[in-house]
Amino acid sequence: MNNKAIISILCIALTAFMVFSYFLYRENNVLSAERDELRTRVEKYEKTDGNSFVVSRISKQMEDIAYQQMEISNKRREEALFQMTIADQMRSKAESEQRKAQEFAENAAEARNMAEQQRELAVVLQKKAEHARNVADTLGFIALGRSLASLSSTQFLAGNKETSALLAYASWKFTNEYRGNINIPEIFNALSQNSGNFSSEPLHQGGVSRIAPYADNMFISVSRYGEIVKWMNVNGEWMLMHLLGNSSYNFRDVCTDSDGIAYALSFDGLLLSVANDIVSSPVELPERVGWLRAISFGKNQLLLSSSKNIYFFDTVKRTITKTIPIEQTINAIGMRGEQCLIFGKGGKMWSVSKDGQKTVEELFVKGSVSAFSWLEKEQLGAMGMENGDICLVDRQNNIKGKLVGHRSKITDLCFKENFLFSSSYDRVVNMWNTDVLNSEPVALHHYANWVYCICNEENNSIFVGDESGMISKIIVSPYEMAEKIHNSLKRDLTREQWEYYVGKNIPQITLKN
């Protein structure tokens, strides 16, 4: 029974009670009127004739009326009690029904909440299932990309260049779309083989000691045969200008300052400057042999290194302004932010500030450091060792990881974003992903001669100088290599090739578009 029905019943009962009370009220009023009339008559008879008999009868009638009024009053009270009892019962029943309705509503709300929780749980489970399926699909396509890269290399070695290019591009496409590592050796090598990412030119007769950026988007390089060459590479075409060729010099380093002037340092203590393609007369330095490095070190100042000392050189006055002796034979020099780091052959390390303050630093690596590079953004350094290992370190020289892959002394290191490039006397240039612990190196090229230097100043490429006088350009961007391959494609994989190499269950996609 709902609340509306209960209220209706209560209203009917109240109406009936009111009607019954009304009739009792009218009957009582009639009796009261008769009683008042009899009382008046009694008083009249008592005053006129004192007839006791008449008075007695009238009093008797008044007494009967009083009894009738009392009965009416009793009936009204009993009726009221009865109606109160009914009202209490109906109120109790209404309260009971209300409690039941409330309990039902609470049970319905609880059931609704449980249903909502079940629905939410079902949605979560569905999302987890979809995520698991997506992860499985992603891993499957990443594995497919690696497999296609290996097949591409096999086809390349077999002379099937067209098929190899198609497989290399498919490998890159699957791996890139599913956010796999496109720099793993299998994929990188497949892209490298099919894109022609390596080109070289014999710009020097002697070993190339250093390559540095020069004016007008060009580069300047020096050799151990006394050569200074200005050059650039545009779309694979080499354009060069020989600025100096004098075999009496043995250049070991070249750097440029903020004014675009280049400085070439010879092993035998001579420093030459190059401005507007004109080579100045040499400045004789204090020591006659053993000069190794020249670094731009602030405004109008160079830091020059021999095997024993560090010198500050004023480029305006063209003279030495400060000499800092080093307690061990200098084996390597590198920049870490605003500081120059010096590594001794005996395993010690010093830092030198631009004001000439030398500080001994604790070196936690064992052995002699032969090359150093610093990535300021990540506060990460790379120390190349005499034994071919590379140690990754933080600013306090704590070892963060070790890269093992070279078999001989590290000759040069340079960062390009989070990738490290290394050269060694084992005649290999490697690329390392420093974001991946225990990174496996990608061998960019195997040279026939020792490699001395690497330059990272061009987008998507590096330049490498070797002992033969050759300078090579290596494209290191998988995206650029993939674009070159894509532009060279003449067809798509046939249906039979797709099913054989990729699989029957994977819908065929267009590679050449």
Side-chain angles (χ1 to χ4, degrees):
M1 182 180 297
N2 56 32
N3 291 337
K4 289 184 178 181
I6 294 171
I7 293 172
S8 298
I9 293 172
L10 288 173
C11 290
I12 293 171
L14 181 61
T15 302
F17 174 72
M18 291 176 66
V19 170
F20 180 74
S21 298
Y22 173 73
F23 284 111
L24 290 176
Y25 172 76
R26 287 191 60 186
E27 185 178 355
N28 187 55
N29 286 343
V30 171
L31 292 172
S32 295
E34 292 179 358
R35 185 192 60 193
D36 292 339
E37 183 181 356
L38 290 173
R39 182 178 290 114
T40 301
R41 289 171 62 186
V42 168
E43 291 175 352
K44 179 179 178 182
Y45 281 119
E46 285 178 347
K47 290 178 180 180
T48 54
D49 53 12
N51 191 331
S52 61
F53 174 76
V54 174
V55 172
S56 176
R57 286 194 63 182
I58 293 174
S59 297
K60 177 64 174 156
Q61 290 179 357
M62 291 178 63
E63 183 178 353
D64 292 339
I65 291 172
Y67 278 118
Q68 290 177 5
Q69 286 184 324
M70 184 175 67
E71 288 178 0
I72 291 172
S73 177
N74 290 336
K75 288 180 179 181
R76 291 177 65 182
R77 184 171 63 254
E78 290 174 357
E79 183 63 25
L81 291 174
F82 175 74
Q83 293 298 329
M84 288 178 60
T85 302
I86 293 175
D88 289 341
Q89 292 175 351
M90 296 185 71
R91 183 173 62 253
S92 298
K93 190 171 184 180
E95 291 176 351
S96 176
E97 293 294 335
Q98 185 178 6
R99 285 195 297 271
K100 290 180 180 179
Q102 187 174 357
E103 290 176 357
F104 178 79
E106 291 175 352
N107 292 335
E110 184 177 356
R112 187 167 57 251
N113 292 336
M114 290 181 64
E116 184 65 22
Q117 291 175 0
Q118 292 296 324
R119 189 187 69 79
E120 292 177 356
L121 179 60
V123 171
V124 170
L125 293 176
Q126 182 181 3
K127 288 182 179 179
K128 287 184 177 180
E130 291 176 355
H131 176 70
R133 184 172 62 251
N134 291 337
V135 169
D137 290 344
T138 298
L139 294 176
F141 279 108
I142 291 174
L144 175 62
R146 178 174 290 194
S147 174
L148 292 175
S150 298
L151 292 170
S152 171
S153 296
T154 301
Q155 292 296 319
F156 186 88
L157 295 175
N160 301 322
K161 302 295 178 64
E162 191 175 48
T163 303
S164 177
L166 286 165
L167 293 175
Y169 186 73
S171 168
W172 173 85
K173 190 174 182 65
F174 281 125
T175 307
N176 183 59
E177 286 183 357
Y178 286 89
R179 299 184 180 182
N181 184 3
I182 57 178
N183 291 290
I184 62 174
E186 293 90 342
I187 296 175
F188 195 96
N189 290 334
L191 294 174
S192 175
Q193 289 170 334
N194 289 279
S195 64
N197 74 323
F198 179 87
S199 61
S200 62
E201 189 75 12
L203 302 186
H204 295 272
Q205 296 184 27
V208 181
S209 301
R210 190 73 59 188
I211 303 168
Y214 192 48
D216 301 324
N217 297 318
M218 300 193 76
F219 293 85
I220 190 167
S221 56
V222 296
S223 77
R224 301 190 179 194
Y225 198 69
E227 301 161 297
I228 303 176
V229 180
K230 181 182 78 169
W231 52 270
M232 67 186 306
N233 182 285
V234 180
N235 298 324
E237 296 293 327
W238 296 84
M239 295 173 283
L240 62 144
M241 176 187 294
H242 286 273
L243 303 179
L244 179 69
N246 186 340
S247 59
S248 63
Y249 295 107
N250 182 357
F251 291 118
R252 294 302 177 92
D253 203 1
V254 63
C255 69
T256 54
D257 64 12
S258 58
D259 297 323
I261 300 175
Y263 297 89
L265 177 66
S266 181
F267 181 79
D268 54 2
L270 297 173
L271 181 68
L272 288 74
S273 61
V274 182
N276 298 320
D277 300 338
I278 298 175
V279 181
S280 69
S281 57
V283 175
E284 293 188 5
L285 301 175
E287 299 179 48
R288 296 310 306 159
V289 292
W291 292 86
L292 305 174
R293 291 296 307 275
I295 297 174
S296 180
F297 204 50
K299 182 67 174 177
N300 300 326
Q301 181 172 265
L302 299 180
L303 186 147
L304 306 177
S305 167
S306 69
S307 60
K308 300 178 181 179
N309 300 290
I310 297 296
Y311 295 90
F312 282 69
F313 181 82
D314 189 316
T315 58
V316 176
K317 297 178 180 179
R318 294 171 65 83
T319 184
I320 299 293
T321 59
K322 188 178 184 65
T323 303
I324 302 175
I326 303 299
E327 290 75 15
Q328 292 183 352
T329 300
I330 298 174
N331 202 43
I333 288 181
M335 291 296 297
R336 185 183 65 193
E338 297 293 315
Q339 294 178 316
C340 181
L341 303 184
I342 297 97
F343 300 91
K345 202 168 185 63
K348 288 190 176 182
M349 172 184 175
W350 300 264
S351 63
V352 175
S353 61
K354 289 182 179 179
D355 59 2
Q357 184 68 35
K358 182 181 75 170
T359 304
V360 177
E361 294 203 13
E362 190 170 4
L363 186 60
F364 298 105
V365 301
K366 294 181 179 180
S368 297
V369 177
S370 57
F372 178 81
S373 184
W374 178 254
L375 182 60
E376 183 68 22
K377 179 182 177 182
E378 301 295 332
Q379 293 290 290
L380 182 68
M383 295 180 181
M385 310 301 292
E386 293 271 1
N387 65 358
D389 292 342
I390 301 171
C391 294
L392 300 178
V393 299
D394 60 16
R395 198 172 191 88
Q396 288 72 41
N397 305 318
N398 299 305
I399 299 175
K400 310 300 289 185
K402 181 177 286 189
L403 307 177
V404 179
H406 286 292
R407 303 188 307 274
S408 299
K409 174 183 175 179
I410 304 298
T411 57
D412 202 6
L413 295 170
C414 67
F415 281 101
K416 197 175 189 68
E417 295 181 350
N418 290 342
F419 291 92
L420 177 68
F421 299 89
S422 60
S423 61
S424 166
Y425 279 144
D426 61 8
R427 305 193 298 260
V428 178
V429 173
N430 281 337
M431 180 180 73
W432 312 80
N433 185 351
T434 58
D435 284 337
V436 180
L437 293 176
N438 302 318
S439 171
E440 183 181 359
V442 176
L444 298 180
H445 194 72
H446 293 263
Y447 287 82
N449 301 279
W450 287 345
V451 179
Y452 289 142
C453 60
I454 305 173
C455 178
N456 65 349
E457 295 294 333
E458 183 170 274
N459 292 334
N460 300 331
S461 302
I462 62 170
F463 292 105
V464 178
D466 66 29
E467 188 185 26
S468 70
M470 196 81 67
I471 291 180
S472 53
K473 177 182 180 179
I474 305 176
I475 298 173
V476 296
S477 168
Y479 299 96
E480 184 171 336
M481 290 189 286
E483 184 178 3
K484 290 185 67 175
I485 295 172
H486 180 256
N487 292 337
S488 69
L489 294 179
K490 295 181 174 58
R491 65 175 180 88
D492 272 312
L493 288 169
T494 66
R495 184 61 190 172
E496 291 75 18
Q497 287 177 321
W498 182 273
E499 292 180 355
Y500 180 78
Y501 292 114
V502 181
K504 296 181 179 180
N505 297 327
I506 299 176
Q508 186 169 356
I509 60 175
T510 299
L511 300 177
K512 183 184 183 306
N513 52 26

